[in-house]
Amino acid sequence: MLHLRLITPAARTGEVTAVLEQCAGTTNLVVLPGAARLPEGDLIFCDVARESANEVIDRLEWLKEEGSIAVEQVDLALSRVADEAVEEAPGEPEDAVVWAELAQKMADDSRITWAYLVFLVIATMLAAVGVLQNSLILIVGAMVLGPEFGAIAAVCFGLLGRRWQLIAGSLRTLIIGFAIAIALTFACALAMRGLGWIGPHNLRVNEEVQFIVKPDRWSFIVALLAGVAGVLSITAGKSSALIGVFISVTTVPAAGFAAVALALGDWPEVAGSVSQLALNVAGMVIAGTGTLMVQRGFWPQVGRGSSVRPMREREAGG
């Protein structure tokens, strides 16, 4: 269930409550006349099944200008009427995509923040150390730590709705983030080379690490699968699945390998790792955008024209 907190002009409260009562999956409706102060108006609380959230938000979208809409996740709801509302709502909660929620998340993930840069730099440096030490554990750790998938998913969402500003911002976040991460890792690797800690022999990695610099059809297939799984994990709120996506693709390890190879002057390895990075990003963008297209094409049709009892009939047992 989702919990909605609405502020509505007093003159339009009846219109809002009528929408809420008509939508399947809405329950626990509370109206507090005149309770809101900023902005002024009536305060309305209700719970709505996740599957019905898009319909409710779309029909009350005008509140963004004249009032307020806030949505929260309900972790536990012990209520018979809430259970009935979920049952009557079309589809399954785990499959529902709340597009307004996703749009806000994608806008947040498209921005360059200090936290994003720090995590990406640390992940790239960890990957570089993993390459130098032939350590798969460090490389996997770097994959999990890398925060880049949020920006990749934002590109997918931008392509879905032709939101060019979002696409440009997300690509800028990816490019600047990886450029800074590679530059700082390159500087550290160059300093270690000057101290005699590392040399060209460190790039003679074992076969288990060579996948980072050898892009092939399997790399692209893995990127496609990861793109699908990544988008589904975000829209369904499956964070554990998203961690699996991070481990599947070699974006951050490729960036770390490129930085080390650049510091050691091994240009063929630089080309291979950069190609791997580009191939993974391209595969995830293609698959992620396709997944969102399928979800958008499916969910707006779910429940249209379905015969459900209005809230008052359900509560009255009619």
Side-chain angles (χ1 to χ4, degrees):
M1 297 290 291
L2 298 176
H3 181 69
L4 272 60
R5 183 179 71 250
L6 311 173
I7 296 177
T8 175
R12 304 192 68 176
T13 298
E15 180 182 343
V16 174
T17 56
V19 169
L20 295 174
E21 290 173 350
Q22 291 167 7
C23 289
T26 304
T27 189
N28 297 332
L29 178 61
V30 177
V31 180
L32 301 177
R37 293 292 178 267
L38 189 64
E40 290 187 359
D42 296 340
L43 182 61
I44 300 176
F45 297 113
C46 70
D47 293 333
V48 59
R50 186 177 179 87
E51 311 92 293
S52 302
N54 288 320
E55 180 184 359
V56 172
I57 293 173
D58 287 347
R59 293 179 64 179
L60 298 178
E61 191 173 10
W62 56 269
L63 276 177
K64 291 193 299 183
E65 302 297 331
E66 300 185 32
S68 173
I69 302 177
V71 182
E72 302 172 350
Q73 179 68 43
V74 177
D75 295 323
L76 178 63
L78 302 177
S79 168
R80 178 183 59 79
V81 292
D83 293 340
E84 290 177 353
V86 172
E87 287 297 322
E88 291 183 346
E92 295 294 331
E94 291 294 327
D95 297 331
V97 181
V98 182
W99 294 105
E101 175 188 47
L102 184 61
Q104 182 170 314
K105 177 174 176 55
M106 294 299 97
D108 293 340
D109 288 344
S110 69
R111 300 188 182 99
I112 299 177
T113 64
W114 283 110
Y116 171 85
L117 292 175
V118 169
F119 276 120
L120 189 56
V121 168
I122 292 174
T124 303
M125 289 185 174
L126 279 175
V129 175
V131 168
L132 293 170
Q133 296 296 311
N134 275 320
S135 172
L136 280 177
I137 294 177
L138 284 177
I139 291 173
V140 170
M143 289 175 170
V144 175
L145 186 60
E148 74 282 0
F149 189 80
I152 293 173
V155 173
C156 299
F157 187 74
L159 289 171
L160 177 73
R162 297 181 181 179
R163 305 183 183 200
W164 309 119
Q165 187 174 358
L166 178 61
I167 295 171
S170 304
L171 290 175
R172 183 172 61 248
T173 297
L174 283 171
I175 293 170
I176 292 177
F178 274 114
I180 292 175
I182 291 173
L184 292 177
T185 305
F186 164 75
C188 292
L190 201 61
M192 287 188 286
R193 181 183 183 183
L195 293 171
W197 292 4
I198 63 174
H201 65 279
N202 288 103
L203 291 182
R204 301 191 187 100
V205 295
N206 59 41
E207 284 299 320
E208 291 182 336
V209 181
Q210 276 291 324
F211 71 94
I212 298 174
V213 289
K214 288 184 177 180
D216 54 22
R217 59 187 177 185
W218 297 112
S219 301
F220 189 65
I221 290 173
V222 169
L224 291 175
L225 295 174
V228 174
V231 166
L232 288 176
S233 67
I234 289 176
T235 56
K238 293 289 188 180
S239 58
S240 58
L242 190 56
I243 293 174
V245 171
F246 293 157
I247 298 175
S248 301
V249 291
T250 55
T251 48
V252 166
F257 200 112
V260 172
L262 193 62
L264 297 177
D266 194 331
W267 296 105
E269 300 286 30
V270 172
S273 53
V274 170
S275 298
Q276 181 73 284
L277 173 60
L279 186 69
N280 276 270
V281 172
M284 286 189 287
V285 167
I286 292 171
T289 304
T291 302
L292 287 173
M293 290 178 64
V294 171
Q295 289 179 299
R296 186 180 66 174
F298 174 69
W299 269 105
Q301 277 70 43
V302 172
R304 285 186 178 175
S306 59
S307 58
V308 295
R309 292 180 297 171
M311 181 191 299
R312 287 175 179 171
E313 286 188 26
R314 297 200 311 265
E315 293 176 349

